Each structure stands twice: as C-alpha cells, then as structure tokens.
Amino acid sequence: MKKTYLAAALLALAAAAQAQPQKRTAFEPGKTWPDNKGTHLNAHGGGVLYDQGRYYLFGEHKIAGGKGNSAQVGVHCYSSTDLYNWTDEGIALTVAPAGSGSEIEQGSIIERPKVVFNQKTGKYVMWFHLELKGKGYEAARTAVAVSDRATGPYAYVKSYRPGVGQWPLGFQEAWKKPVPGEKDLKWWTPDWTKAVAEGLFIRRDFAPGQMARDMTVFVDDDGTAYNIHSSEDNLTLHVAELTPDYQGFTGRWNTIAPAGHNEAPALCKRNGKYYLITSGCTGWEPNAARSFVASSIWGPWTALENPATGPQANITYNSQSTYILPVAGRQDAFIFLADRWTPKNPIDGGYIWLPLSFEGDQPRLQWADRWDLGVFDAAKAKAAAN
Ligand code: DGJ
C-alpha cells in the first residue's frame, strides 16, 4: 500500500515538473519562446517598459490564420525580472466588440504598441498604430490608451493624425505653396525626391494631419516624450513631441530622412547621441535594416550603414526592427528587438533579440544562436582593456 502511495506521489511530482517550463538562462533568437504557462509569447511588434524592478513586454496579440494580422483580441502584456522568463499578464488593451463602432473594434488593425510611464500624472500611456476596420491602411493614425497600472487594463482615449495645421521645424516659407507641375514629377527622379523633402506630401496632409503608421515612442532624459512614425505614404519618418501628460501632441515636429522609405523605427540614446534603426518598406517580407545618428532628436540625422553583419544581414536575419531596449542598471547595454513575421499564421511569429554594439557611431548587430546578458560584461571588459 505504502509503495503505491509513493509511486503515485513520484508520478505527480514528475508530471508537475513537466508542466513547469524550465527556467531560461539565455536568449535563443528565432526559437519558440515559452511564457510561464509554456505558451509561445504572443507580443508582436512589441516594446518594453521598465518599471520598479520589472520589465513589461507589450505587443500585438496575433491569432492563427489569415484574420490574425488584424486585431482580434488586443495588446498582450508579459512581465519579467530577468528578460529571459516572462509571466503572462493577460490582455492589457482589449478590442471593443465587433460592430460596436469603436475605433478599436475587433477587426481594426492595432500595431506596434509602446508603453511609457508619465512621472507627472502617474499614468501608464500606451501608443500604437491604428487602422480603422475595413479601411486597409488608409486611416494611418496613431492612437493612445491610458492605465493606472502597468499591466492594464488600458482605457482607449483617442486617435490622431498629428501635425494638423502645423509645419515642421525649419520648414521654409517658399515651401508652403505648391510648385507648378509638382504632381507630374516621376518618383524615380531627383526632382521628385527634392519635392518630397520640400513638402510635397506635407502640404497635402497639412489640414487633415500627417499620416502616422509604423511607430515607436521615446522618452528623453529630461522627461520629454516623442512619437516617431512613418508618414507621407511611408516615404518619410516624422518625429513629433508629446504633451507633458504624453497623451497628445504639442505641435512641434520634424521630418527624418525625407523620401527614404523607412518603417519599423526603433530609437535609443547613448552618450548624448540619438540612434535610430529602421527597415525598408517591403510589407511582411524582411529587408536590410538601416541606421542613423543625430545629436538632437530634431536632426539633422546622418544615415549610417546596415547595422546587421554576417549571413542574412541583407534581410536582418529574416526580421524587422521593433524596439531598442536599454538594459536596466547596465551602462551601454542595449538589446535590438525584431519580429520574424509569419503572415499566413501570424501567431507563429518569432522574436529576434540580439545585443546591439557600437563601432564608433555605427550600431552593429551580429547573429547569435544563444546568448545572455553576460555579453555586455565581456564587451565592457574588452573596452576597458583597449
Ligand atoms: C510592415 C510594417 O512594419 C508592419 O508593422 C505591418 O504594418 C506590415 N508592414 C503590414 O504589411
């Protein structure tokens, strides 16, 4: 009898051990990444907030099948203290019921959510790219939701086309009026590129507000926050200052890389300089990443090289940037976060997290099958020895 009890207890223990996912001690880019329940993370196009000793990962919750690229559930949140092991915190922003007429109703498109904490209001503020249901990518809006807790629930506030009736900084008087014949310029000519830089699309969208698609939010050392988004039919990135409560725009904005066709912006600040990593525009297909540096967030931005090196650098290791994560408590430790999209079955999408290093001003990426935060100690030791 006793033996039977012992066997049953051992079996139960073995089953519990099996159900308990193994503690992870490293990043394994591109591999299935189980959460605390053993389910592959579902936070695509994501970003990370560090708050009171915990990291919070927010991203698009995708479902299986073709419909999965539109918002069927909402924005998923996970938390972690070590960046390797993530606890499912549930849906932070839930879509409104289909047919409710809400801007975030089920079937709308909610992409690239980013959450920041506002010291002045004590609120957590989530920004994301919003497309209205049934309108493809035509609405091109950026939207905001707010919560008292990092994990949510987030209450939807509103969507914006930023820059209504506002010219960008340094926009010349002469550029405020259309140039005869500009509409007939061919997009592959230098004249067209010049016309874009001198406001061809900015004038078009001056009254309704500028388009805002792929986006990120960046909070500077002085607490000022910026929404950086693909605008002008994805030709030009815009950087727009947020109000002190982070829930609206001040009207100060500028362009980055006019006519450069950049998407998927990810930004960080290092030694007083701003670094931007983007992708080109090829839908869900990967392409070569780009990088830029500036001494002021308002520019001028200098274009650098593709930060990726080695095999598959030309397709950023089959991924697209989404965020640059400064590791808390470590100087000069940044992680490049990217998505490996699987549009036919979006829920399978993978995560490419790699250490970001710098050669002078040039951000650099190198593929690693497996790595841990110790690489930053090794890099520091090497720098000190040189
Ligand atoms: C590329 C963007 O970076 C993604 O966020 C998504 O909008 C796809 N395009 C849609 O094709």
Side-chain angles (χ1 to χ4, degrees), residues 60 109 111-112 129 137 214 263-264 279-280 282-284 320-321 341:
E60 304 158 26
I109 293 174
E111 290 182 347
R112 299 182 176 274
H129 167 202
Y137 280 82
D214 277 16
E263 278 193 324
S279 74
T282 49
W284 299 114
Q320 187 184 29
S321 46
W341 301 116

PDB file of all heavy atoms in Angstrom, residues 60 109 111-112 129 137 214 263-264 279-280 282-284 320-321 341, ligand 1:
ATOM      1  N   GLU A  60       1.460  43.043 -30.094  1.00  0.00           N
ATOM      2  CA  GLU A  60       0.213  42.656 -30.789  1.00  0.00           C
ATOM      3  C   GLU A  60      -0.087  41.200 -30.482  1.00  0.00           C
ATOM      4  O   GLU A  60       0.763  40.339 -30.715  1.00  0.00           O
ATOM      5  CB  GLU A  60       0.392  42.794 -32.300  1.00  0.00           C
ATOM      6  CG  GLU A  60       0.831  44.157 -32.767  1.00  0.00           C
ATOM      7  CD  GLU A  60       1.495  44.106 -34.156  1.00  0.00           C
ATOM      8  OE1 GLU A  60       1.194  43.192 -34.951  1.00  0.00           O
ATOM      9  OE2 GLU A  60       2.316  44.987 -34.435  1.00  0.00           O
ATOM     10  N   ILE A 109      -6.969  47.408 -37.105  1.00  0.00           N
ATOM     11  CA  ILE A 109      -5.557  46.989 -37.070  1.00  0.00           C
ATOM     12  C   ILE A 109      -4.860  47.763 -35.963  1.00  0.00           C
ATOM     13  O   ILE A 109      -4.900  49.003 -35.937  1.00  0.00           O
ATOM     14  CB  ILE A 109      -4.876  47.229 -38.442  1.00  0.00           C
ATOM     15  CG1 ILE A 109      -5.499  46.293 -39.493  1.00  0.00           C
ATOM     16  CG2 ILE A 109      -3.369  47.025 -38.362  1.00  0.00           C
ATOM     17  CD1 ILE A 109      -5.014  46.531 -40.916  1.00  0.00           C
ATOM     18  N   GLU A 111      -1.176  47.967 -34.261  1.00  0.00           N
ATOM     19  CA  GLU A 111       0.198  47.500 -34.455  1.00  0.00           C
ATOM     20  C   GLU A 111       1.189  48.273 -33.589  1.00  0.00           C
ATOM     21  O   GLU A 111       0.977  49.440 -33.265  1.00  0.00           O
ATOM     22  CB  GLU A 111       0.614  47.667 -35.920  1.00  0.00           C
ATOM     23  CG  GLU A 111      -0.113  46.695 -36.847  1.00  0.00           C
ATOM     24  CD  GLU A 111       0.321  46.817 -38.302  1.00  0.00           C
ATOM     25  OE1 GLU A 111       1.004  47.800 -38.656  1.00  0.00           O
ATOM     26  OE2 GLU A 111      -0.038  45.927 -39.091  1.00  0.00           O
ATOM     27  N   ARG A 112       2.274  47.590 -33.256  1.00  0.00           N
ATOM     28  CA  ARG A 112       3.468  48.181 -32.654  1.00  0.00           C
ATOM     29  C   ARG A 112       3.194  48.982 -31.367  1.00  0.00           C
ATOM     30  O   ARG A 112       3.661  50.120 -31.212  1.00  0.00           O
ATOM     31  CB  ARG A 112       4.200  49.052 -33.686  1.00  0.00           C
ATOM     32  CG  ARG A 112       4.642  48.231 -34.880  1.00  0.00           C
ATOM     33  CD  ARG A 112       5.416  49.002 -35.917  1.00  0.00           C
ATOM     34  NE  ARG A 112       5.861  48.080 -36.960  1.00  0.00           N
ATOM     35  CZ  ARG A 112       6.987  47.368 -36.914  1.00  0.00           C
ATOM     36  NH1 ARG A 112       7.803  47.526 -35.904  1.00  0.00           N
ATOM     37  NH2 ARG A 112       7.295  46.527 -37.884  1.00  0.00           N
ATOM     38  N   HIS A 129      -0.135  52.078 -33.474  1.00  0.00           N
ATOM     39  CA  HIS A 129      -0.581  52.416 -34.829  1.00  0.00           C
ATOM     40  C   HIS A 129      -1.972  51.826 -34.992  1.00  0.00           C
ATOM     41  O   HIS A 129      -2.174  50.638 -34.761  1.00  0.00           O
ATOM     42  CB  HIS A 129       0.429  51.834 -35.828  1.00  0.00           C
ATOM     43  CG  HIS A 129      -0.050  51.834 -37.239  1.00  0.00           C
ATOM     44  ND1 HIS A 129       0.470  50.993 -38.208  1.00  0.00           N
ATOM     45  CD2 HIS A 129      -1.006  52.557 -37.874  1.00  0.00           C
ATOM     46  CE1 HIS A 129      -0.134  51.203 -39.351  1.00  0.00           C
ATOM     47  NE2 HIS A 129      -1.041  52.136 -39.180  1.00  0.00           N
ATOM     48  N   TYR A 137      -5.012  50.209 -44.849  1.00  0.00           N
ATOM     49  CA  TYR A 137      -4.033  51.035 -44.128  1.00  0.00           C
ATOM     50  C   TYR A 137      -4.233  52.526 -44.441  1.00  0.00           C
ATOM     51  O   TYR A 137      -3.307  53.328 -44.342  1.00  0.00           O
ATOM     52  CB  TYR A 137      -2.599  50.587 -44.468  1.00  0.00           C
ATOM     53  CG  TYR A 137      -2.177  49.361 -43.678  1.00  0.00           C
ATOM     54  CD1 TYR A 137      -2.545  48.080 -44.080  1.00  0.00           C
ATOM     55  CD2 TYR A 137      -1.435  49.488 -42.504  1.00  0.00           C
ATOM     56  CE1 TYR A 137      -2.172  46.953 -43.347  1.00  0.00           C
ATOM     57  CE2 TYR A 137      -1.062  48.376 -41.760  1.00  0.00           C
ATOM     58  CZ  TYR A 137      -1.428  47.118 -42.191  1.00  0.00           C
ATOM     59  OH  TYR A 137      -1.060  46.014 -41.455  1.00  0.00           O
ATOM     60  N   ASP A 214       3.795  52.853 -38.926  1.00  0.00           N
ATOM     61  CA  ASP A 214       4.750  52.202 -38.014  1.00  0.00           C
ATOM     62  C   ASP A 214       5.308  53.229 -37.037  1.00  0.00           C
ATOM     63  O   ASP A 214       5.743  54.313 -37.462  1.00  0.00           O
ATOM     64  CB  ASP A 214       5.916  51.611 -38.807  1.00  0.00           C
ATOM     65  CG  ASP A 214       5.598  50.246 -39.377  1.00  0.00           C
ATOM     66  OD1 ASP A 214       4.419  49.880 -39.422  1.00  0.00           O
ATOM     67  OD2 ASP A 214       6.549  49.554 -39.780  1.00  0.00           O
ATOM     68  N   GLU A 263      10.442  52.231 -42.377  1.00  0.00           N
ATOM     69  CA  GLU A 263       9.401  51.719 -41.481  1.00  0.00           C
ATOM     70  C   GLU A 263      10.059  51.204 -40.214  1.00  0.00           C
ATOM     71  O   GLU A 263      11.281  51.199 -40.098  1.00  0.00           O
ATOM     72  CB  GLU A 263       8.676  50.541 -42.147  1.00  0.00           C
ATOM     73  CG  GLU A 263       7.591  50.946 -43.122  1.00  0.00           C
ATOM     74  CD  GLU A 263       6.708  49.765 -43.510  1.00  0.00           C
ATOM     75  OE1 GLU A 263       7.224  48.645 -43.626  1.00  0.00           O
ATOM     76  OE2 GLU A 263       5.498  49.982 -43.702  1.00  0.00           O
ATOM     77  N   ALA A 264       9.230  50.713 -39.291  1.00  0.00           N
ATOM     78  CA  ALA A 264       9.706  49.979 -38.108  1.00  0.00           C
ATOM     79  C   ALA A 264      10.754  50.753 -37.304  1.00  0.00           C
ATOM     80  O   ALA A 264      11.806  50.199 -36.949  1.00  0.00           O
ATOM     81  CB  ALA A 264      10.273  48.620 -38.542  1.00  0.00           C
ATOM     82  N   SER A 279      13.637  49.794 -40.942  1.00  0.00           N
ATOM     83  CA  SER A 279      13.685  48.848 -42.065  1.00  0.00           C
ATOM     84  C   SER A 279      13.276  49.608 -43.315  1.00  0.00           C
ATOM     85  O   SER A 279      12.795  50.743 -43.226  1.00  0.00           O
ATOM     86  CB  SER A 279      12.702  47.700 -41.825  1.00  0.00           C
ATOM     87  OG  SER A 279      11.382  48.167 -42.032  1.00  0.00           O
ATOM     88  N   GLY A 280      13.422  48.954 -44.459  1.00  0.00           N
ATOM     89  CA  GLY A 280      12.813  49.483 -45.671  1.00  0.00           C
ATOM     90  C   GLY A 280      11.346  49.065 -45.686  1.00  0.00           C
ATOM     91  O   GLY A 280      10.838  48.499 -44.706  1.00  0.00           O
ATOM     92  N   THR A 282       8.839  46.681 -47.265  1.00  0.00           N
ATOM     93  CA  THR A 282       8.520  45.530 -48.119  1.00  0.00           C
ATOM     94  C   THR A 282       7.428  44.672 -47.465  1.00  0.00           C
ATOM     95  O   THR A 282       7.487  43.446 -47.497  1.00  0.00           O
ATOM     96  CB  THR A 282       9.784  44.682 -48.418  1.00  0.00           C
ATOM     97  OG1 THR A 282      10.463  44.416 -47.184  1.00  0.00           O
ATOM     98  CG2 THR A 282      10.738  45.384 -49.369  1.00  0.00           C
ATOM     99  N   GLY A 283       6.450  45.327 -46.861  1.00  0.00           N
ATOM    100  CA  GLY A 283       5.323  44.605 -46.259  1.00  0.00           C
ATOM    101  C   GLY A 283       5.797  43.689 -45.146  1.00  0.00           C
ATOM    102  O   GLY A 283       6.526  44.101 -44.251  1.00  0.00           O
ATOM    103  N   TRP A 284       5.390  42.413 -45.207  1.00  0.00           N
ATOM    104  CA  TRP A 284       5.802  41.443 -44.164  1.00  0.00           C
ATOM    105  C   TRP A 284       7.131  40.792 -44.523  1.00  0.00           C
ATOM    106  O   TRP A 284       7.661  39.994 -43.751  1.00  0.00           O
ATOM    107  CB  TRP A 284       4.746  40.341 -43.996  1.00  0.00           C
ATOM    108  CG  TRP A 284       3.402  40.828 -43.570  1.00  0.00           C
ATOM    109  CD1 TRP A 284       2.256  40.782 -44.310  1.00  0.00           C
ATOM    110  CD2 TRP A 284       3.033  41.411 -42.309  1.00  0.00           C
ATOM    111  NE1 TRP A 284       1.204  41.310 -43.596  1.00  0.00           N
ATOM    112  CE2 TRP A 284       1.646  41.701 -42.364  1.00  0.00           C
ATOM    113  CE3 TRP A 284       3.739  41.727 -41.134  1.00  0.00           C
ATOM    114  CZ2 TRP A 284       0.958  42.282 -41.303  1.00  0.00           C
ATOM    115  CZ3 TRP A 284       3.044  42.307 -40.081  1.00  0.00           C
ATOM    116  CH2 TRP A 284       1.687  42.579 -40.176  1.00  0.00           C
ATOM    117  N   GLN A 320      12.368  42.170 -38.712  1.00  0.00           N
ATOM    118  CA  GLN A 320      12.151  43.618 -38.871  1.00  0.00           C
ATOM    119  C   GLN A 320      12.158  44.269 -37.496  1.00  0.00           C
ATOM    120  O   GLN A 320      11.463  43.801 -36.577  1.00  0.00           O
ATOM    121  CB  GLN A 320      10.803  43.862 -39.568  1.00  0.00           C
ATOM    122  CG  GLN A 320      10.569  45.304 -39.924  1.00  0.00           C
ATOM    123  CD  GLN A 320       9.188  45.551 -40.521  1.00  0.00           C
ATOM    124  OE1 GLN A 320       8.247  44.827 -40.203  1.00  0.00           O
ATOM    125  NE2 GLN A 320       9.072  46.578 -41.342  1.00  0.00           N
ATOM    126  N   SER A 321      12.903  45.355 -37.353  1.00  0.00           N
ATOM    127  CA  SER A 321      13.063  46.028 -36.059  1.00  0.00           C
ATOM    128  C   SER A 321      11.735  46.399 -35.418  1.00  0.00           C
ATOM    129  O   SER A 321      10.751  46.688 -36.105  1.00  0.00           O
ATOM    130  CB  SER A 321      13.898  47.298 -36.244  1.00  0.00           C
ATOM    131  OG  SER A 321      13.445  48.044 -37.371  1.00  0.00           O
ATOM    132  N   TRP A 341       8.193  37.834 -38.972  1.00  0.00           N
ATOM    133  CA  TRP A 341       6.757  37.737 -39.287  1.00  0.00           C
ATOM    134  C   TRP A 341       6.419  36.427 -39.997  1.00  0.00           C
ATOM    135  O   TRP A 341       7.188  35.948 -40.841  1.00  0.00           O
ATOM    136  CB  TRP A 341       6.324  38.892 -40.197  1.00  0.00           C
ATOM    137  CG  TRP A 341       6.544  40.275 -39.652  1.00  0.00           C
ATOM    138  CD1 TRP A 341       7.374  41.218 -40.176  1.00  0.00           C
ATOM    139  CD2 TRP A 341       5.911  40.881 -38.510  1.00  0.00           C
ATOM    140  NE1 TRP A 341       7.302  42.373 -39.430  1.00  0.00           N
ATOM    141  CE2 TRP A 341       6.422  42.202 -38.414  1.00  0.00           C
ATOM    142  CE3 TRP A 341       4.974  40.456 -37.575  1.00  0.00           C
ATOM    143  CZ2 TRP A 341       6.015  43.085 -37.414  1.00  0.00           C
ATOM    144  CZ3 TRP A 341       4.574  41.335 -36.573  1.00  0.00           C
ATOM    145  CH2 TRP A 341       5.083  42.621 -36.500  1.00  0.00           C
TER     146      TRP A 341
HETATM  147  C1  DGJ B   1       5.283  46.403 -42.365  1.00  0.00           C
HETATM  148  C2  DGJ B   1       5.087  47.024 -41.032  1.00  0.00           C
HETATM  149  O1  DGJ B   1       6.325  47.257 -40.467  1.00  0.00           O
HETATM  150  C3  DGJ B   1       4.259  46.118 -40.152  1.00  0.00           C
HETATM  151  O2  DGJ B   1       4.107  46.692 -38.888  1.00  0.00           O
HETATM  152  C4  DGJ B   1       2.955  45.909 -40.842  1.00  0.00           C
HETATM  153  O3  DGJ B   1       2.276  47.129 -40.933  1.00  0.00           O
HETATM  154  C5  DGJ B   1       3.168  45.354 -42.230  1.00  0.00           C
HETATM  155  N1  DGJ B   1       4.028  46.223 -42.979  1.00  0.00           N
HETATM  156  C6  DGJ B   1       1.878  45.186 -42.988  1.00  0.00           C
HETATM  157  O4  DGJ B   1       2.141  44.778 -44.299  1.00  0.00           O
END
